[in-house]
Amino acid sequence: MAQTELSYDIVIAGGGPAGLAAAVAARKNGTERILILERDTRIGGILLQCIHNGFGLHHFGEELTGPEYAGRFAAQVEELGIEYKTDTMVLEISPDKKVTAINTKDGLMVIQAKAVILAMGCRERTRGALVIPGSRPAGIFTAGSVQRFVNIDGYLPGKKVVILGSGDIGLIMARRLTLEGAEVKLVCELMPFSAGLTRNIVQCVENFNIPLKFSHTITQIHGKERVEGVTVSQVDKNRKPIPGTEEYVECDTLLLSVGLIPENELSKGCGVEIDSSTSGPVVNEHMQTSVEGIFACGNTVHVHDLVDFVTAESLRAGENAAKYVQGKRTAQPKHITLRPGNRVRYTVPQYIESTQSETPVSIMFRSTDVYRGVSIVIYSNDQRIKAVKKKIVRPGEMQVVSLSPEELAKIRDNVTVAVEIPEEDVE
C-alpha cells in the first residue's frame, strides 16, 4: 500500500467537543498547521446524538442541545481554516509524535507532528464487563447505542425496557424512550446513590414517575431468542445480592448504563503513563502527559459530567500545545504531586509543574460517596492552603476547586497536595 508522508505542528486525535475546542484554542494562540483526525463521518463527536438540552450553561451562558453546542465549535473550526479529516482511523501514535492513520481517500498516512493532543473520548462498559447469569438473547444494548438508534437512525429498540445503572445517559434515555412510547419499567442502581446528575434524576425519572431502585442489580436475564424479562435483587453493603429479595420484571429490552471508560489504547501505545483511578493519562496543569509534547483532554483523561468542563480543559490543552510548539513551554525538572486525600477518588491534574503561575490552577475531582455539610480542603504537608465549604458533594457530580497564584506560591516544591473532605466536617 502506498504511504503518504505529512507534517503538521499539532495533530489532534478525535474531532469531538474536546478535539474541536483544543484545535480552536491552538489556532487562536498562533499555531497555523493543525490537523484534526476523526473516525466518524462528521466532526462533533457524541454530542451529535445528544439532542436534549442542558449543554452550554457554563461556557456559553445559555442552554443548548448537543448538536447546537458541537455546531458552534465546528463553525469556529471552519472559520479559522483548521484542517480536519473525517472517516479517518488513527492506528498508532509513537513517542516521537509520529501519527499513523488511514482512510479511503488518502490511504495510509504517516504524519509527523511537533505536538499531539489526545482527545479520543470514552466508551461504554458492555455486558462483557458484568457478571450477569443468563443466555445471550437479542435486546441487550448499551444506553449510548440506543441513543444513537433513536435520535439518529429513528429506530425504537423495544417496547418494555429495564435500565441497569443510573448514569446520565441511562437516565436521559429513560425519558427519551418514554416520550417515544416505550414503557420504562424500572431503573435499578447497584450503589446506594446515583452516578448521574441530580437534575437528570429529577427531570428524566422522577418527573415521569419511572421507578428508580438503589442498592438493586440484575441477577438473571431470561429469554432465548429475545429478552423476555430480568430478575432484580436487592444487594447488601458489600454489593452482594440478598437471597429472598428476587423480583421478576417482564421486559423485551435491557439497557446498560454501567459507566464509561476513557479510550486510551493510543495513549498506552505511545508510552503515556496511565492513572489507575481514572484509566486516563497522568497530566499536569497544562494538560501535558508524561511524554513531552503529547497533551490530553476531555473524556480521554477522565469521565466528565458536563461538556462545559471538557471545553475548559481542552482550551487549556490547545493553548499549551501551541506554546509548546512555539518553544514557549519547556519541561520543568521538578513537580508537585497531587494525591486524592480522605473521601476523594482521584484528582486531575495529578501533578503541578510549577508553583509560579500567573493564572489560577483548577483541580477537578470526584468524591467516593455522598457527603453533606463538608469542606473541601487542600493541604501542603500539614499546612492548610485552602478550604471551601460545600452543602453536598456526590460521586456523580464533578467538583472543581481553583488555586490562585497567591495560594500556589504558598506550596513548596516536592511536596504532596491532598484534596480532602475531612472526617470532622461530615455531619
Side-chain angles (χ1 to χ4, degrees), residues 369-422:
D369 208 330
V370 179
Y371 303 109
R372 300 175 187 274
V374 296
S375 293
I376 310 303
V377 184
I378 298 179
Y379 293 103
S380 174
N381 285 352
D382 295 328
Q383 182 186 4
R384 183 181 281 209
I385 303 298
K386 185 167 190 170
V388 180
K389 288 192 176 294
K390 290 275 187 177
K391 288 183 179 179
I392 186 168
V393 293
R394 297 182 176 91
E397 295 177 9
M398 188 77 69
Q399 302 296 321
V400 183
V401 61
S402 292
L403 288 175
S404 67
E406 295 75 26
E407 289 163 340
L408 283 167
K410 295 178 185 177
I411 299 174
R412 289 168 291 162
D413 287 341
N414 297 326
V415 299
T416 299
V417 179
V419 183
E420 296 193 350
I421 306 171

Side-chain angles (χ1 to χ4, degrees), residues 179-255:
L179 292 172
E180 288 298 328
E183 180 188 1
V184 179
K185 309 287 287 282
L186 173 69
V187 178
C188 58
E189 168 59 55
L190 178 69
M191 304 298 287
F193 52 80
S194 173
L197 293 169
T198 304
R199 73 179 189 208
N200 285 335
I201 297 170
V202 174
Q203 295 173 7
C204 302
V205 175
E206 293 178 1
N207 288 357
F208 287 85
N209 297 316
I210 298 169
L212 171 58
K213 291 188 176 182
F214 294 117
S215 298
H216 280 73
T217 192
I218 291 172
T219 50
Q220 184 80 29
I221 297 172
H222 305 276
K224 188 175 181 182
E225 299 299 324
R226 175 84 191 195
V227 173
E228 296 172 1
V230 295
T231 297
V232 177
S233 302
Q234 189 176 344
V235 298
D236 59 23
K237 61 181 180 180
N238 297 317
R239 303 176 207 164
K240 301 293 183 186
I242 301 171
T245 62
E246 297 86 358
E247 177 191 356
Y248 178 79
V249 181
E250 182 190 354
C251 63
D252 60 19
T253 305
L254 172 61
L255 257 64

Side-chain angles (χ1 to χ4, degrees), residues 311-324:
T311 297
E313 197 176 83
S314 304
L315 292 173
R316 194 156 68 246
E319 177 188 345
N320 286 294
K323 288 180 179 177
Y324 174 83

Side-chain angles (χ1 to χ4, degrees), residues 103-139:
N103 64 28
T104 54
K105 182 181 177 183
D106 303 290
L108 185 67
M109 297 172 284
V110 177
I111 309 160
Q112 182 61 61
K114 295 178 182 176
V116 171
I117 299 176
L118 305 170
M120 295 85 65
C122 58
R123 66 177 186 268
E124 294 182 278
R125 280 192 179 90
T126 61
R127 184 185 173 182
L130 308 173
V131 183
I132 305 175
S135 56
R136 299 178 64 84

